Amino acid sequence: MTPKAANKNPEIEALVTSLRAGHPRAIGRAISLIENGSTAARHLLSACFPYSGNARRIGITGAPGAGKSTLVDAIAKQLRAAQHTVGIVAVDPTSPFSGGAILGDRIRMQSHHADPDLFIRSMATRGFLGGMARATADVALVVEASGKDTILLETVGVGQDEVDVMRVADMTVVVLVPGMGDDVQSIKAGLMEIADIFVINKSDREGADRVVREIRAMQSLASSHPVWVAPVVKTVATTGDGVASVMETIDKLAAWLNESGELQTRRALAWQKRMSEMAREELVRRLAVQGLDAAVFAQHAAAVSRGEEDPYELIPRLLERAWALHE
Amino acid sequence: MTPKAANKNPEIEALVTSLRAGHPRAIGRAISLIENGSTAARHLLSACFPYSGNARRIGITGAPGAGKSTLVDAIAKQLRAAQHTVGIVAVDPTSPFSGGAILGDRIRMQSHHADPDLFIRSMATRGFLGGMARATADVALVVEASGKDTILLETVGVGQDEVDVMRVADMTVVVLVPGMGDDVQSIKAGLMEIADIFVINKSDREGADRVVREIRAMQSLASSHPVWVAPVVKTVATTGDGVASVMETIDKLAAWLNESGELQTRRALAWQKRMSEMAREELVRRLAVQGLDAAVFAQHAAAVSRGEEDPYELIPRLLERAWALHE
């Protein structure tokens, strides 16, 4: 497969050229195409695909209030100082309706003085066909194709959605803080199995050592004995304390991922999941073409909600009809 | 449609009879069938459907550490004291891997002394085809069919998933606490538009009145002017303070939902969404029958992750082939 094979649309070709040159507005336009679920998106992603696969993708997640954004910004600053090119994709699952994500971008961009080798994009989760994880993966692909060698994927780490988003990354940094509420235990449980590195942020607060001990206790209880036991790094992101240590730990992890073959395994698994999702979306699109679209569901929904139609019987019947129409 | 029309499987028929009599073990078995995505699940749900639609479904959500479980338990206690039958479905998005949800059930059940008119089920989010919201809706349907007149749906309110889960309920109670971290603002933003009632729990802590003021400020800024402006109720769930007031507010809301027609609108919308999801699942199942299953995706994923195959070109091609096989 050659890069040019995918470029059938001259407009998309021009956009990819501009995007490859690193123009932030082109990257922004490309992401909008993806977010809007445009039919051009497939051609765009196909055209970007050959320029992907080489960047380091670092996932950073943690509970609300853990100081993730501050930590991500501090890491980005160090990466830029070391001449790395950086893309930040912040997935904001808390604003499904508002346009707050864009405002957030502006505020964060200002503190980086429009550095052309640093691209920041926040994504609200509204209206993504195929879910947040797929949208994140597509956006990360575009950002990587724009020439960024490091992609920081930032998300609030609570739900399954966020675990899926983290699987888009090559590695996962879980950010914790001392003195969280009752449910911290359960948040940690959910993220425990995908954490490659733990960062205790705001570690100047009381209780930081207790959090470290809790992590160690959980790790010693784990039924499997992983080759890589997630290191724990203490930081104060607001002052930059410990951020260099986070970077060193990331480098060590990256070396291990490469040598052990784990990187390849993880990426293959992520693609498998993503391809299933892509297939599902394409199916829904085809079914809509056969006349089974949202409007049909809406028509029946009122009757179902009044108890007049049984949805569990109805759906297979509707599908049978749409499927037959195709024949 | 008559109830008996759906009962084609005698085993399912027996299970539904036992479930309708309120036997907790039958409810548990039915839920397991749903969770395992058994082919019997459709018949089961079809058989339960005629006995659904009359219960009051109350969604209760909030940030980790807000004390949701304690509040839900306190509400359940009051409902039971008023001779209501209660089902609690707690969606735990934090443990995608562990069996922790089951342990949680046991601990909570103990404090209710195995009351036969109170059913509690925690759901981890692992492996639900069609997402957490659909699984929650199906489980709530089964619990309702077992004769519970009030269903409490409890979930951690952070991601889009949780917003979707809340749409399964007729109404949404958002639980906040004074003195949360930096990200509370954004959590509130995401839940703001689905909140029917705000509860400030742990309101004996400093800052409770500030949270009330913040909510009021946000409500006054809202661009739309809703007929129902979400009331704010202060509670201390551990002592039971304010819980009666929450119940009164829920009753008022329920009356308004009924009279305004909003209840019917919400339920129709929820069914519309759910039916689309059901259709998507059924499609994936059919495609697997045509030979396009997870194994095929896994086969290609390794090549894609090495950059040797373009997934954006591959998926439509694979689908085309499976689709053609059907003809």
Side-chain angles (χ1 to χ4, degrees):
Chain A
M1 187 198 64
T2 59
K4 67 172 169 43
N7 290 338
K8 285 159 203 158
N9 181 327
E11 236 179 287
I12 293 296
E13 207 166 345
L15 179 61
V16 172
T17 305
S18 175
L19 181 156
R20 293 270 307 134
H23 295 150
R25 284 181 68 180
I27 311 175
R29 229 199 104 211
I31 294 175
S32 296
L33 285 179
I34 294 167
E35 288 184 334
N36 299 336
S38 145
T39 51
R42 189 189 128 195
H43 294 296
L44 171 74
L45 289 163
S46 212
C48 286
F49 181 74
Y51 307 108
S52 72
N54 296 315
R56 183 179 290 179
R57 295 176 174 205
I58 306 168
I60 295 162
T61 187
K68 287 175 300 296
S69 300
T70 314
L71 182 69
V72 166
D73 286 358
I75 289 173
K77 206 172 280 179
Q78 293 224 358
L79 285 166
R80 289 295 302 123
Q83 307 304 320
H84 283 286
T85 52
V86 179
I88 299 177
V89 179
V91 179
D92 183 354
T94 61
S95 54
F97 310 99
S98 74
I102 292 151
L103 183 66
D105 279 350
R106 285 191 191 143
I107 292 165
R108 291 180 76 171
M109 285 301 256
Q110 276 170 6
S111 74
H112 293 286
H113 302 292
D115 173 355
D117 287 322
L118 176 73
F119 182 84
I120 303 183
R121 179 76 173 216
S122 295
M123 298 167 59
T125 64
R126 171 181 46 176
F128 284 118
L129 268 173
M132 212 194 302
R134 196 206 149 175
T136 308
D138 287 346
V139 168
L141 184 84
V142 164
V143 174
E144 189 183 345
S146 82
K148 307 300 178 276
D149 63 35
T150 309
I151 313 288
L152 303 173
L153 295 170
E154 172 192 338
T155 183
V156 173
V158 184
Q160 177 61 52
D161 265 8
E162 289 71 48
V163 173
D164 290 343
V165 167
M166 283 301 101
R167 291 197 193 283
V168 173
D170 299 325
M171 57 181 81
T172 300
V173 178
V174 172
V175 187
L176 301 169
V177 282
M180 293 287 288
D182 334 334
D183 290 347
V184 166
Q185 198 65 23
S186 59
I187 291 176
K188 280 188 252 171
L191 290 171
M192 198 68 195
E193 305 190 27
I194 58 162
D196 294 306
I197 296 171
F198 288 101
V199 168
I200 316 297
N201 194 30
K202 306 185 185 178
S203 63
D204 50 346
R205 284 192 189 173
E206 212 189 301
D209 290 325
R210 197 175 50 79
V211 180
V212 176
R213 279 197 304 275
E214 279 180 23
I215 293 169
R216 291 300 177 217
M218 271 196 277
Q219 287 176 328
S220 68
L221 283 173
S223 52
S224 63
H225 295 280
V227 187
W228 176 267
V229 177
V232 184
V233 185
K234 288 197 264 184
T235 61
V236 182
T238 46
T239 65
D241 275 10
V243 176
S245 177
V246 173
M247 295 308 304
E248 280 165 32
T249 311
I250 285 173
D251 284 340
K252 268 184 220 161
L253 170 61
W256 175 76
L257 287 172
N258 254 319
E259 288 156 18
S260 63
E262 173 72 10
L263 182 66
Q264 184 57 34
T265 306
R266 288 186 184 188
R267 288 185 168 186
L269 271 172
W271 271 114
Q272 184 185 335
K273 209 165 176 198
R274 197 165 152 203
M275 285 161 66
S276 308
E277 283 161 1
M278 288 163 69
R280 220 168 305 155
E281 274 182 44
E282 176 67 15
L283 272 175
V284 170
R285 202 192 55 75
R286 281 168 185 243
L287 213 64
V289 172
Q290 305 296 339
L292 191 54
D293 58 9
V296 175
F297 292 124
Q299 235 176 335
H300 289 279
V304 167
S305 68
R306 284 190 300 264
E308 295 162 9
E309 264 189 307
D310 171 357
Y312 300 98
E313 179 276 328
L314 176 71
I315 293 299
R317 187 155 47 81
L318 287 178
L319 274 179
E320 201 54 62
R321 205 189 299 161
W323 195 266
L325 276 175
H326 166 68
E327 287 187 289
Chain B
M1 187 200 64
T2 59
K4 68 174 169 41
N7 289 338
K8 285 160 203 156
N9 181 326
E11 235 180 287
I12 293 296
E13 206 166 347
L15 179 60
V16 172
T17 303
S18 175
L19 182 155
R20 292 270 306 135
H23 296 149
R25 286 180 68 181
I27 311 175
R29 231 200 103 211
I31 293 175
S32 296
L33 285 178
I34 294 168
E35 287 183 334
N36 299 336
S38 144
T39 51
R42 187 188 130 197
H43 293 296
L44 172 74
L45 290 163
S46 212
C48 287
F49 181 74
Y51 306 107
S52 72
N54 295 314
R56 183 180 288 179
R57 294 175 174 204
I58 306 168
I60 296 163
T61 188
K68 285 175 300 297
S69 300
T70 314
L71 183 68
V72 166
D73 286 0
I75 289 174
K77 206 172 280 180
Q78 292 224 358
L79 284 166
R80 289 295 302 123
Q83 306 304 320
H84 282 287
T85 52
V86 179
I88 299 177
V89 179
V91 179
D92 183 353
T94 61
S95 55
F97 310 100
S98 73
I102 292 150
L103 184 65
D105 278 351
R106 284 189 191 144
I107 292 163
R108 291 180 76 172
M109 286 300 257
Q110 276 169 6
S111 75
H112 293 286
H113 302 292
D115 173 355
D117 287 322
L118 176 74
F119 183 83
I120 304 182
R121 178 76 173 216
S122 294
M123 298 167 60
T125 65
R126 170 179 47 176
F128 285 117
L129 271 171
M132 210 195 302
R134 195 205 149 175
T136 307
D138 286 347
V139 169
L141 184 84
V142 164
V143 174
E144 189 183 346
S146 82
K148 307 300 178 278
D149 64 35
T150 309
I151 313 290
L152 302 174
L153 296 170
E154 173 192 336
T155 184
V156 173
V158 184
Q160 177 61 51
D161 265 8
E162 288 72 46
V163 173
D164 290 343
V165 167
M166 282 300 104
R167 290 197 193 282
V168 172
D170 299 324
M171 57 180 82
T172 300
V173 178
V174 172
V175 186
L176 302 168
V177 282
M180 294 286 288
D182 333 335
D183 290 346
V184 167
Q185 199 65 22
S186 59
I187 291 177
K188 280 188 255 171
L191 290 171
M192 198 67 194
E193 304 191 27
I194 58 160
D196 294 305
I197 297 171
F198 287 102
V199 168
I200 317 298
N201 193 30
K202 305 184 186 179
S203 63
D204 49 347
R205 285 192 188 171
E206 212 187 301
D209 290 324
R210 198 175 49 79
V211 181
V212 176
R213 277 196 306 274
E214 280 180 22
I215 293 169
R216 290 300 177 216
M218 271 197 274
Q219 287 176 328
S220 67
L221 283 172
S223 52
S224 62
H225 295 282
V227 186
W228 176 268
V229 176
V232 184
V233 185
K234 289 198 262 184
T235 60
V236 182
T238 46
T239 65
D241 275 7
V243 176
S245 175
V246 173
M247 294 309 303
E248 279 165 34
T249 311
I250 286 173
D251 284 340
K252 267 184 223 163
L253 171 61
W256 175 76
L257 287 172
N258 254 318
E259 287 156 20
S260 63
E262 174 72 10
L263 181 67
Q264 184 56 34
T265 306
R266 288 186 183 189
R267 288 186 168 185
L269 271 172
W271 271 113
Q272 184 185 335
K273 206 160 181 204
R274 198 165 152 203
M275 285 160 68
S276 308
E277 283 161 2
M278 286 163 69
R280 219 169 304 155
E281 273 183 46
E282 176 67 14
L283 272 174
V284 171
R285 201 191 56 75
R286 281 168 186 243
L287 214 65
V289 171
Q290 305 295 340
L292 190 56
D293 58 9
V296 175
F297 292 124
Q299 237 176 333
H300 290 279
V304 168
S305 68
R306 285 190 300 265
E308 295 162 10
E309 264 188 307
D310 171 358
Y312 300 98
E313 180 275 328
L314 175 71
I315 293 300
R317 188 155 46 81
L318 287 178
L319 273 181
E320 200 54 62
R321 206 188 299 159
W323 195 266
L325 276 176
H326 166 67
E327 288 186 292

